[in-house]
Amino acid sequence: SQKIEQNSEALNIQEGKTATLTCNYTNYSPAYLQWYRQDPGRGPVFLLLIRENEKEKRKERLKVTFDTTLKQSLFHITASQPADSATYLCALDMGYGQNFVFGPGTRLSVLP
Amino acid sequence: DTEVTQTPKHLVMGMTNKKSLKCEQHMGHRAMYWYKQKAKKPPELMFVYSYEKLSINESVPSRFSPECPNSSLLNLHLHALQPEDSALYLCASSQTRLRDSLWNEQFFGPGTRLTVL
Protein backbone atom coordinates (compact mmCIF):
# COMPACT_ATOMS: atom_id res chain seq x y z
CA SER A 1 0.00 0.00 0.00
CA GLN A 2 1.06 3.61 -0.46
CA LYS A 3 2.55 5.29 2.59
CA ILE A 4 4.24 8.53 3.63
CA GLU A 5 6.12 8.85 6.92
CA GLN A 6 7.70 11.84 8.59
CA ASN A 7 10.46 11.07 11.05
CA SER A 8 8.62 11.89 14.20
CA GLU A 9 5.37 13.38 15.33
CA ALA A 10 7.23 15.98 17.41
CA LEU A 11 10.79 17.30 17.46
CA ASN A 12 12.33 19.63 20.06
CA ILE A 13 15.59 21.45 19.36
CA GLN A 14 17.56 24.27 20.92
CA GLU A 15 17.56 27.72 19.35
CA GLY A 16 20.46 28.22 16.95
CA LYS A 17 20.76 24.53 16.06
CA THR A 18 19.85 22.94 12.74
CA ALA A 19 16.53 21.12 12.59
CA THR A 20 16.40 18.15 10.23
CA LEU A 21 13.03 16.70 9.27
CA THR A 22 12.62 13.53 7.23
CA CYS A 23 9.95 12.48 4.76
CA ASN A 24 9.94 8.89 3.53
CA TYR A 25 7.49 7.37 1.10
CA THR A 26 6.74 4.01 -0.48
CA ASN A 27 4.88 3.05 -3.66
CA TYR A 28 4.58 6.63 -4.94
CA SER A 29 6.31 8.21 -7.94
CA PRO A 30 6.02 11.93 -7.28
CA ALA A 31 6.80 14.50 -9.94
CA TYR A 32 7.53 16.95 -7.13
CA LEU A 33 7.94 17.01 -3.43
CA GLN A 34 6.82 20.08 -1.55
CA TRP A 35 7.26 21.27 2.02
CA TYR A 36 4.68 23.36 3.85
CA ARG A 37 4.48 24.98 7.25
CA GLN A 38 1.23 25.01 9.19
CA ASP A 39 0.51 27.02 12.33
CA PRO A 40 -2.42 26.04 14.60
CA GLY A 41 -5.82 26.98 13.17
CA ARG A 42 -4.36 28.24 9.89
CA GLY A 43 -3.92 26.91 6.38
CA PRO A 44 -0.55 25.49 5.29
CA VAL A 45 2.01 27.90 3.82
CA PHE A 46 4.25 26.79 0.97
CA LEU A 47 7.99 26.76 1.68
CA LEU A 48 9.91 24.85 -0.99
CA LEU A 49 9.31 22.63 -4.01
CA ILE A 50 11.85 20.18 -5.43
CA ARG A 51 11.43 18.29 -8.68
CA GLU A 52 12.17 14.61 -9.25
CA ASN A 53 15.34 15.44 -11.22
CA GLU A 54 16.74 17.87 -8.63
CA LYS A 55 18.94 16.86 -5.71
CA GLU A 56 18.84 19.98 -3.55
CA LYS A 57 17.07 23.34 -3.20
CA ARG A 58 17.80 26.23 -0.87
CA LYS A 59 15.90 29.27 0.27
CA GLU A 60 17.42 31.49 2.94
CA ARG A 61 17.80 29.26 6.05
CA LEU A 62 15.91 26.38 4.46
CA LYS A 63 17.35 23.49 2.49
CA VAL A 64 15.59 20.48 1.03
CA THR A 65 17.08 17.37 -0.57
CA PHE A 66 15.29 14.73 -2.63
CA ASP A 67 16.57 11.21 -3.22
CA THR A 68 14.18 9.28 -5.48
CA THR A 69 16.27 6.11 -5.08
CA LEU A 70 15.92 6.16 -1.30
CA LYS A 71 12.40 7.61 -1.64
CA GLN A 72 13.33 10.24 0.91
CA SER A 73 13.43 14.00 1.35
CA LEU A 74 15.30 15.84 4.09
CA PHE A 75 14.27 19.34 5.16
CA HIS A 76 16.76 21.45 7.10
CA ILE A 77 16.27 24.69 8.99
CA THR A 78 19.60 26.22 9.95
CA ALA A 79 20.09 28.68 12.83
CA SER A 80 16.64 27.79 14.08
CA GLN A 81 14.55 30.36 15.95
CA PRO A 82 11.54 30.02 18.26
CA ALA A 83 9.46 31.58 15.45
CA ASP A 84 10.21 28.46 13.39
CA SER A 85 8.05 26.42 15.78
CA ALA A 86 5.18 24.96 13.73
CA THR A 87 4.05 21.75 12.06
CA TYR A 88 5.97 20.95 8.88
CA LEU A 89 4.28 18.86 6.23
CA CYS A 90 5.84 17.18 3.24
CA ALA A 91 3.56 16.70 0.24
CA LEU A 92 3.90 14.44 -2.79
CA ASP A 93 2.59 15.76 -6.07
CA MET A 94 2.11 13.17 -8.79
CA GLY A 95 1.26 15.87 -11.34
CA TYR A 96 -1.72 16.72 -13.51
CA GLY A 97 -4.76 14.54 -12.97
CA GLN A 98 -2.97 12.67 -10.26
CA ASN A 99 -3.04 12.61 -6.51
CA PHE A 100 -1.54 15.19 -4.15
CA VAL A 101 -0.87 13.71 -0.72
CA PHE A 102 0.38 15.26 2.51
CA GLY A 103 2.52 13.40 5.00
CA PRO A 104 1.40 13.24 8.64
CA GLY A 105 3.58 16.22 9.65
CA THR A 106 6.25 16.87 12.25
CA ARG A 107 5.53 19.36 15.04
CA LEU A 108 8.76 21.29 15.56
CA SER A 109 9.42 23.20 18.77
CA VAL A 110 12.47 25.47 18.92
CA LEU A 111 13.34 26.14 22.54
CA PRO A 112 14.96 29.47 23.54
CA ASP B 1 -3.45 40.18 -4.31
CA THR B 2 -1.89 36.88 -3.13
CA GLU B 3 -4.73 35.81 -0.91
CA VAL B 4 -7.23 32.98 -0.93
CA THR B 5 -10.37 33.93 0.99
CA GLN B 6 -12.90 31.53 2.45
CA THR B 7 -16.34 32.18 3.87
CA PRO B 8 -17.72 31.58 6.37
CA LYS B 9 -14.95 31.20 8.96
CA HIS B 10 -17.16 29.02 11.14
CA LEU B 11 -20.30 27.04 10.31
CA VAL B 12 -22.56 24.97 12.53
CA MET B 13 -25.20 22.91 10.78
CA GLY B 14 -27.64 20.14 11.49
CA MET B 15 -27.66 16.85 9.62
CA THR B 16 -30.66 17.90 7.52
CA ASN B 17 -29.36 21.33 6.52
CA LYS B 18 -28.03 22.45 3.17
CA LYS B 19 -25.15 24.93 3.26
CA SER B 20 -22.32 26.08 1.02
CA LEU B 21 -18.69 26.97 1.59
CA LYS B 22 -17.14 29.60 -0.66
CA CYS B 23 -13.59 30.19 -1.79
CA GLU B 24 -12.20 33.00 -3.92
CA GLN B 25 -8.83 33.93 -5.38
CA HIS B 26 -7.76 36.73 -7.69
CA MET B 27 -4.25 35.55 -8.54
CA GLY B 28 -5.23 34.21 -11.97
CA HIS B 29 -4.69 30.64 -10.80
CA ARG B 30 -6.32 27.96 -12.93
CA ALA B 31 -6.24 25.10 -10.41
CA MET B 32 -8.32 25.08 -7.23
CA TYR B 33 -8.58 22.48 -4.50
CA TRP B 34 -10.76 21.43 -1.57
CA TYR B 35 -9.18 19.68 1.41
CA LYS B 36 -10.61 18.29 4.65
CA GLN B 37 -8.48 18.42 7.79
CA LYS B 38 -9.28 16.71 11.08
CA ALA B 39 -7.53 17.70 14.31
CA LYS B 40 -3.86 16.67 14.48
CA LYS B 41 -4.05 15.15 10.99
CA PRO B 42 -2.75 16.41 7.64
CA PRO B 43 -5.07 17.90 5.02
CA GLU B 44 -6.77 15.27 2.84
CA LEU B 45 -7.44 16.12 -0.77
CA MET B 46 -11.12 15.99 -1.74
CA PHE B 47 -11.46 17.66 -5.15
CA VAL B 48 -9.30 19.38 -7.75
CA TYR B 49 -10.53 21.71 -10.47
CA SER B 50 -8.22 22.49 -13.35
CA TYR B 51 -9.36 25.15 -15.83
CA GLU B 52 -12.82 25.03 -14.24
CA LYS B 53 -13.16 21.29 -14.90
CA LEU B 54 -13.24 18.68 -12.16
CA SER B 55 -10.03 16.69 -12.60
CA ILE B 56 -9.86 14.78 -9.32
CA ASN B 57 -12.57 13.47 -7.01
CA GLU B 58 -10.96 11.47 -4.24
CA SER B 59 -13.92 9.14 -3.66
CA VAL B 60 -15.73 11.79 -1.66
CA PRO B 61 -19.32 10.99 -0.57
CA SER B 62 -22.02 12.60 -2.70
CA ARG B 63 -23.20 14.68 0.25
CA PHE B 64 -20.27 16.94 -0.72
CA SER B 65 -20.80 18.59 -4.09
CA PRO B 66 -18.16 20.91 -5.55
CA GLU B 67 -18.79 23.66 -8.06
CA CYS B 68 -16.45 25.97 -9.94
CA PRO B 69 -18.60 28.77 -11.47
CA ASN B 70 -15.58 30.61 -12.88
CA SER B 71 -11.80 30.66 -12.61
CA SER B 72 -11.85 32.74 -9.40
CA LEU B 73 -14.55 30.98 -7.42
CA LEU B 74 -14.94 27.55 -5.87
CA ASN B 75 -17.92 26.37 -3.88
CA LEU B 76 -18.52 23.28 -1.79
CA HIS B 77 -22.20 22.44 -1.35
CA LEU B 78 -23.06 20.44 1.75
CA HIS B 79 -26.18 18.36 2.26
CA ALA B 80 -27.19 15.73 4.81
CA LEU B 81 -23.80 15.71 6.49
CA GLN B 82 -22.83 13.44 9.36
CA PRO B 83 -21.18 14.45 12.66
CA GLU B 84 -17.94 12.78 11.49
CA ASP B 85 -17.79 15.36 8.68
CA SER B 86 -16.96 18.02 11.27
CA ALA B 87 -13.51 19.33 10.34
CA LEU B 88 -11.55 22.28 8.97
CA TYR B 89 -12.25 22.64 5.25
CA LEU B 90 -9.41 24.25 3.36
CA CYS B 91 -9.43 25.73 -0.09
CA ALA B 92 -6.23 26.19 -2.08
CA SER B 93 -5.20 27.39 -5.52
CA SER B 94 -2.14 27.01 -7.72
CA GLN B 95 -1.18 28.52 -11.02
CA THR B 96 -1.53 25.25 -12.90
CA ARG B 97 -1.52 21.48 -12.44
CA LEU B 98 0.88 20.71 -15.28
CA ARG B 99 3.54 18.06 -14.62
CA ASP B 100 6.44 20.14 -15.91
CA SER B 101 5.25 23.43 -14.51
CA LEU B 102 7.34 25.44 -12.12
CA TRP B 103 4.21 26.91 -10.58
CA ASN B 104 2.61 24.10 -8.64
CA GLU B 105 2.93 25.62 -5.19
CA GLN B 106 -0.43 25.87 -3.52
CA PHE B 107 -1.79 28.92 -1.74
CA PHE B 108 -4.17 28.01 1.05
CA GLY B 109 -7.04 29.95 2.54
CA PRO B 110 -7.61 30.16 6.31
CA GLY B 111 -10.29 27.46 6.21
CA THR B 112 -13.88 27.06 7.34
CA ARG B 113 -14.35 25.32 10.69
CA LEU B 114 -17.43 23.12 10.19
CA THR B 115 -19.39 21.52 13.02
CA VAL B 116 -22.18 19.08 12.21
CA LEU B 117 -24.61 18.47 15.05
Side-chain angles (χ1 to χ4, degrees):
Chain A
S1 63
Q2 297 173 323
K3 198 172 177 184
I4 307 175
E5 293 179 334
Q6 292 191 239
N7 52 331
S8 55
E9 189 177 330
L11 180 66
N12 295 332
I13 64 164
Q14 211 63 38
E15 182 176 6
K17 301 290 186 187
T18 295
T20 298
L21 283 63
T22 304
C23 178
N24 292 293
Y25 59 93
T26 57
N27 296 332
Y28 285 104
S29 297
Y32 314 88
L33 192 143
Q34 303 183 23
W35 284 88
Y36 287 79
R37 168 187 173 138
Q38 187 172 25
D39 292 286
R42 308 189 75 163
V45 174
F46 171 80
L47 297 175
L48 279 169
L49 176 154
I50 188 163
R51 302 169 82 175
E52 57 185 333
N53 60 352
E54 295 176 317
K55 297 290 186 193
E56 183 179 299
K57 271 278 184 68
R58 290 175 186 262
K59 179 183 174 183
E60 298 172 354
R61 294 185 295 113
L62 308 180
K63 183 177 89 170
V64 63
T65 63
F66 192 14
D67 188 325
T68 54
T69 302
L70 291 179
K71 294 185 182 295
Q72 180 182 78
S73 175
L74 299 179
F75 178 78
H76 306 273
I77 306 174
T78 57
S80 59
Q81 304 164 1
D84 295 326
S85 299
T87 295
Y88 290 85
L89 300 154
C90 68
L92 305 188
D93 186 348
M94 265 55 76
Y96 177 77
Q98 304 295 320
N99 204 351
F100 187 94
V101 182
F102 279 97
T106 294
R107 191 172 65 254
L108 175 68
S109 296
V110 181
L111 308 173
Chain B
D1 184 356
T2 58
E3 196 180 17
V4 175
T5 59
Q6 290 188 245
T7 55
K9 286 189 177 7
H10 301 276
L11 179 63
V12 179
M13 60 187 289
M15 289 191 283
T16 57
N17 291 157
K18 284 186 184 181
K19 296 285 185 185
S20 296
L21 309 185
K22 295 185 186 304
C23 173
E24 193 166 1
Q25 57 87 14
H26 294 288
M27 294 178 277
H29 290 174
R30 304 310 299 271
M32 296 186 77
Y33 312 73
W34 279 116
Y35 289 86
K36 173 182 176 179
Q37 187 173 27
K38 301 282 266 184
K40 298 193 186 300
K41 296 289 185 185
E44 290 180 36
L45 184 65
M46 299 174 73
F47 303 104
V48 181
Y49 274 84
S50 184
Y51 292 86
E52 294 95 75
K53 288 187 168 42
L54 184 64
S55 66
I56 294 180
N57 175 342
E58 287 295 332
S59 303
V60 179
S62 59
R63 56 186 185 267
F64 295 92
S65 174
E67 179 195 20
C68 190
N70 61 54
S71 59
S72 300
L73 291 174
L74 188 66
N75 298 322
L76 186 63
H77 303 297
L78 314 173
H79 174 53
L81 295 193
Q82 304 296 311
E84 59 264 29
D85 296 322
S86 298
L88 180 68
Y89 287 84
L90 293 161
C91 173
S93 70
S94 66
Q95 189 147 349
T96 70
R97 282 290 293 162
L98 299 176
R99 185 174 178 94
D100 294 325
S101 170
L102 294 174
W103 309 109
N104 282 4
E105 63 181 272
Q106 294 185 30
F107 292 76
F108 281 81
T112 293
R113 176 75 58 190
L114 174 68
T115 303
V116 182
L117 301 176

